[in-house]
Amino acid sequence: MAAATGTVSKLFSSSSSSSSFPFSVPFPLSPKKTSLSLLSSHNPPISFLSSLSFPKLTPLKSSANTTQHFEEEEVEEEEEEDIVSETEIDEYESEIDIEDLEKEAKFAVKELSTSLSRQLTIEDDTDEKRESRKQKRKKATSKDIPDHLLPKVAIVGRPNVGKSALFNRLVGENRAIVVDEPGVTRDRLYGRSFWGEHEFMVVDTGGVVTVSKSQANVMEDLAISTTIGMDGIPLASREAAVARMPSMIEKQATAAVEESSVIIFLVDGQAGLTAADVEIADWLRRNYSNKCIILAVNKCESPRKGIMQASEFWSLGFSPLPISAISGTGTGELLDLVCSRLGKVEGPENLNEEETYIPAIAIVGRPNVGKSSILNALVGEDRTIVSPISGTTRDAIDTEFVGPDGQKFLLIDTAGIRRRAAVASSGSVTEALSVNRAFRGIRRSDVVALVIEAMACITEQDYRIAERIEKEGKGCLIVVNKWDTIPNKNQQTATYYEQDVREKLRLLHWAPIVYSTAIAGHNVEKVIVAASTVEKERSRRLGTSILNQVVREALAFKPPPRTRGGKRGRVYYCTQAAIRPPTFVFFVNDSNLFPETYRRYMEKQLRSDAGFSGTPIRLLWRSRRKMEKDEVKGATRPQVNLTPGSGKLAVAT
């Protein structure tokens, strides 16, 4: 009976579109709707009915009996389908080994990672790939000694002599921004370097400007802008900030020299000896004569000319060593000389991977929202320069920090991220590189602290940064800084503010919100507490039995919707294939039967029942039919991609 009515439904559905049928017949037609359609007052023409070939049907006595009969048939058919589906699940679990499913899940995660890395490109990723072999060699020889136990080597000198280029050469990667203009580096930048059996920290510093120069010359040497990003700052505050900038840079350089065992005094061989070089040499000799000072003459690419270029620097009272940071000429002799003044450091023994793992927290946001102030408040010192001048921070500044509970963190202060169009219109190469370093800081991090200014409206740029964080799969917390600037606060202010943030940053609906005033040090410690909680959630692995129990309850509460053809999605098995971020693979009959709304529902149920606050979670859907076809065709692997227009992740099947 069911087969007969199904045939009638197909016939009516196929004919209704082509013939002059006086009413529309929905597809698919249930048996009840089919019988009622045939017996309704909207009778089709006799010619149309005579042209159809009907199967033999039981004579219908009355419409009421027919309706009741077909309703019973429909219920029995649905019950039979449910029984068959449960049996199908048992057969599926018995046919396929769980270990094979786990392997498939891990491969799907690997494909997803590869796909995302292609999409989330950074302009200077080529430098990272070029130096990957150096990094592998460095990891092979590293003894996993904590940064604070390693001896430090500081690079100092006047602006634009190549300090950052030498820093990149010594650490073996493109960490510091190198541009042929003065005043690019302002904060202290640290990096690990190794040479032979020695390992040490190299510290890049900003150019030291002598006090004898006038204010105009200082601004020219440091390339300080008083216009870009400073429209809302009064002129008096602008001039005061510019006047303080040289002393702030020198303060950072002085701190680097004081904590270092060896000082590399870098000069420019092509420009020759200058008055600034003489003043810096006198300053080092007068205050740090107890330390090892190495005079390196940079930009000596030719060995023969290098000796002649270095000869005029003997008057500084140090033995000059000609080198070239760009080509690497003479850097081997420089490293030999540095290591001869450093003692060997033995790291702690029996350190496993979990003990050496230090979660990284990147502090990101638009310019002038207080990122550097938060870093300084956390570490309790002026680790980075804080100034109302937009774009003060250029490089990504790494700082080790120990939390109140003894947990170690790596804090990454980044440059302010402006809109791509604004960066392009400014024509600043330095700012473009700074934004790239900020994106690389997000990629290197485990948790991202997205800083927004309390009084400033959440802009489209904040949403773009949030979108990048979610796609990178990083844990996140939203830091509302400068909370003291909100007037007339009461108990409901934070509630209303949170509603506004959730509405405008829907991508980060799972991220906790922290309110702080970094300049006064209020509630800054909550940033670390929240980041520690997020990192634990991001690294948490859910047991397979518990996970499948959560999925079964979610399916029982709200089954997948049926398609117009009467098909419904079935979930056979689910497993967590990865952490950081938590990634779950669902093995189903057909992934196309699970619409985006239902996938969001499943994610919501996982969060409500299993936690994972502060971290994105990935749901990958693997079809059974696809797996069976892969086995027949020689185990062809699935392609993983982003579902268009949603930002959610799925396995294309």
Side-chain angles (χ1 to χ4, degrees):
M1 195 64 170
T5 55
T7 306
V8 174
S9 301
K10 292 179 181 178
L11 289 170
F12 269 90
S13 63
S14 61
S15 303
S16 60
S17 59
S18 59
S19 64
S20 58
F21 208 49
F23 61 92
S24 60
V25 180
F27 180 81
L29 290 172
S30 64
K32 180 175 71 173
K33 291 181 179 178
T34 305
S35 61
L36 292 176
S37 300
L38 290 172
L39 300 174
S40 65
S41 60
H42 301 281
N43 295 322
I46 300 298
S47 59
F48 172 76
L49 292 175
S50 61
S51 64
L52 300 178
S53 58
F54 293 96
K56 292 183 179 180
L57 300 177
T58 305
L60 304 176
K61 295 183 179 180
S62 65
S63 61
N65 293 337
T66 303
T67 303
Q68 181 180 2
H69 177 73
F70 277 111
E71 284 179 347
E72 293 176 356
E73 288 288 340
E74 185 178 13
V75 172
E76 291 178 1
E77 193 174 314
E78 289 182 356
E79 291 178 352
E80 183 180 356
E81 182 183 353
D82 293 338
I83 294 173
V84 172
S85 64
E86 295 293 336
T87 307
E88 187 181 1
I89 292 174
D90 294 337
E91 292 178 356
Y92 181 76
E93 291 181 349
S94 61
E95 289 175 2
I96 299 181
D97 191 1
I98 299 298
E99 294 182 0
D100 293 338
L101 296 181
E102 296 289 344
K103 291 179 181 179
E104 286 287 337
K106 291 180 179 178
F107 187 85
V109 172
K110 185 177 179 181
E111 287 285 321
L112 170 65
S113 177
T114 304
S115 176
L116 283 176
S117 64
R118 292 196 195 103
Q119 297 179 27
L120 302 176
T121 56
I122 301 176
E123 292 183 7
D124 52 356
D125 270 350
T126 52
D127 296 329
E128 293 180 350
K129 295 177 182 178
R130 189 189 311 149
E131 292 158 358
S132 59
R133 283 182 292 182
K134 292 183 180 180
Q135 294 301 310
K136 290 179 181 179
R137 186 172 137 218
K138 181 177 179 179
K139 289 180 180 179
T141 58
S142 177
K143 302 176 183 178
D144 293 326
I145 303 175
D147 291 350
H148 66 277
L149 295 180
L150 291 174
K152 296 180 176 60
V153 177
I155 306 174
V156 297
R158 61 182 178 83
N160 208 30
V161 294
K163 297 184 295 299
S164 295
L166 179 61
F167 173 85
N168 289 342
R169 170 69 62 177
L170 296 183
V171 301
E173 57 180 313
N174 190 17
R175 287 283 303 280
I177 296 176
V178 178
V179 179
D180 190 17
E181 63 182 43
V184 174
T185 304
R186 294 172 178 176
D187 299 290
R188 284 173 286 160
L189 188 62
Y190 291 80
R192 295 172 75 106
S193 179
F194 71 98
W195 185 251
E197 297 181 354
H198 292 81
E199 192 168 8
F200 52 92
M201 296 293 296
V202 183
V203 190
D204 186 20
T205 64
V208 178
V209 182
T210 58
V211 294
S212 61
K213 290 196 173 184
S214 64
Q215 182 69 23
N217 291 335
V218 167
M219 288 182 59
E220 182 180 354
D221 286 349
L222 296 181
I224 299 175
S225 173
T226 59
T227 56
I228 298 176
M230 301 183 69
D231 298 332
I233 302 175
L235 180 60
S237 301
R238 223 182 280 183
E239 294 176 349
V242 171
R244 289 194 303 268
M245 182 63 70
S247 61
M248 289 180 175
I249 296 176
E250 290 181 2
K251 185 178 180 181
Q252 294 291 320
T254 301
V257 170
E258 289 180 350
E259 67 181 358
S260 300
S261 303
V262 177
I263 303 169
I264 299 177
F265 175 28
L266 198 65
V267 294
D268 189 345
Q270 293 182 358
L273 184 63
T274 64
D277 296 328
V278 175
E279 292 192 23
I280 295 173
D282 293 339
W283 171 66
L284 291 174
R285 191 166 40 249
R286 184 171 58 253
N287 298 292
Y288 304 103
S289 58
N290 58 330
K291 297 180 180 288
C292 174
I293 302 174
I294 301 175
L295 176 61
V297 183
N298 193 26
K299 303 181 183 179
C300 297
E301 281 72 19
S302 173
R304 294 182 179 179
K305 292 183 179 180
I307 298 176
M308 298 297 296
Q309 291 173 334
S311 60
E312 64 175 313
F313 291 95
W314 280 98
S315 59
L316 295 178
F318 304 104
S319 300
L321 177 65
I323 66 167
S324 174
I326 298 298
S327 65
T329 303
T331 53
E333 292 82 353
L334 176 63
L335 286 169
D336 287 336
L337 189 57
V338 168
C339 293
S340 65
R341 305 298 180 94
L342 297 175
K344 292 184 180 180
V345 178
E346 297 295 334
E349 299 179 356
N350 301 324
L351 285 178
N352 55 36
E353 183 178 355
E354 291 298 323
E355 291 177 346
T356 56
Y357 169 68
I358 300 178
I361 304 173
I363 307 173
V364 303
R366 293 184 291 117
N368 283 339
V369 295
K371 300 180 295 297
S372 298
S373 298
I374 291 175
L375 176 64
N376 291 343
L378 287 173
V379 301
E381 62 172 298
D382 293 335
R383 176 63 185 83
T384 56
I385 297 175
V386 176
S387 172
I389 298 176
S390 179
T392 298
T393 303
R394 263 82 178 274
D395 297 286
I397 310 300
D398 296 4
T399 306
E400 284 192 356
F401 172 75
V402 181
D405 57 349
Q407 172 69 40
K408 293 182 179 179
F409 297 95
L410 179 66
L411 302 179
I412 306 174
D413 185 22
T414 63
I417 303 176
R418 293 203 298 160
R419 292 184 298 110
R420 183 178 300 179
V423 175
S425 62
S426 67
S428 174
V429 178
T430 303
E431 185 177 6
L433 293 176
S434 298
V435 172
N436 284 339
R437 293 298 191 278
F439 284 137
R440 289 173 62 181
I442 294 176
R443 180 163 296 179
R444 291 192 293 124
S445 67
D446 299 287
V447 179
V448 179
L450 176 58
V451 185
I452 60 178
E453 189 175 350
M455 285 295 291
C457 297
I458 295 177
T459 64
E460 184 181 357
Q461 182 62 13
D462 293 318
Y463 183 84
R464 297 300 179 194
I465 299 173
E467 190 177 36
R468 183 78 183 203
I469 295 170
E470 197 275 338
K471 287 184 177 180
E472 291 278 5
K474 305 301 181 182
C476 181
L477 64 145
I478 301 172
V479 182
V480 182
N481 194 30
K482 304 180 184 180
W483 186 242
D484 60 327
T485 59
I486 299 291
N488 304 323
K489 291 190 294 291
N490 54 37
Q491 295 179 351
Q492 300 298 324
T493 303
T495 303
Y496 294 145
Y497 199 95
E498 180 176 352
Q499 292 176 357
D500 183 66
V501 172
R502 299 294 185 200
E503 178 68 23
K504 294 178 180 177
L505 296 179
R506 295 181 180 179
L507 282 175
L508 303 181
H509 62 89
W510 37 261
I513 299 178
V514 178
Y515 303 91
S516 68
T517 304
I519 199 69
H522 295 163
N523 294 334
V524 181
E525 68 281 354
K526 292 184 179 180
V527 175
I528 290 297
V529 174
S532 178
T533 303
V534 169
E535 170 55 25
K536 291 176 182 177
E537 289 293 305
R538 187 170 180 264
S539 305
R540 187 159 61 89
R541 187 178 293 276
L542 203 62
T544 305
S545 58
I546 299 175
L547 174 61
N548 282 273
Q549 178 64 27
V550 172
V551 173
R552 278 195 296 268
E553 292 178 358
L555 291 170
F557 183 76
K558 182 181 179 181
R562 289 182 183 273
T563 64
R564 291 190 174 184
K567 296 181 180 180
R568 173 175 286 173
R570 305 290 178 185
V571 179
Y572 301 126
Y573 182 74
C574 182
T575 181
Q576 183 176 355
I579 59 174
R580 301 169 187 164
T583 305
F584 303 92
V585 180
F586 289 77
F587 293 94
V588 298
N589 57 342
D590 188 354
S591 63
N592 295 325
L593 299 178
F594 294 85
E596 184 61 32
T597 54
Y598 195 83
R599 297 183 183 190
R600 287 198 298 266
Y601 159 75
M602 188 62 69
E603 178 184 347
K604 183 179 179 181
Q605 290 301 113
L606 280 174
R607 289 189 182 278
S608 61
D609 295 341
F612 299 106
S613 173
T615 177
I617 60 177
R618 307 299 196 206
L619 304 184
L620 308 182
W621 303 80
R622 185 79 169 97
S623 297
R624 177 187 179 184
R625 292 179 182 176
K626 181 67 177 178
M627 294 179 62
E628 291 174 350
K629 290 180 181 179
D630 290 345
E631 292 176 1
V632 174
K633 295 180 181 180
T636 304
R637 295 298 184 181
Q639 296 295 322
V640 184
N641 55 17
L642 287 170
T643 303
S646 65
K648 298 294 181 181
L649 300 172
V651 179
T653 52

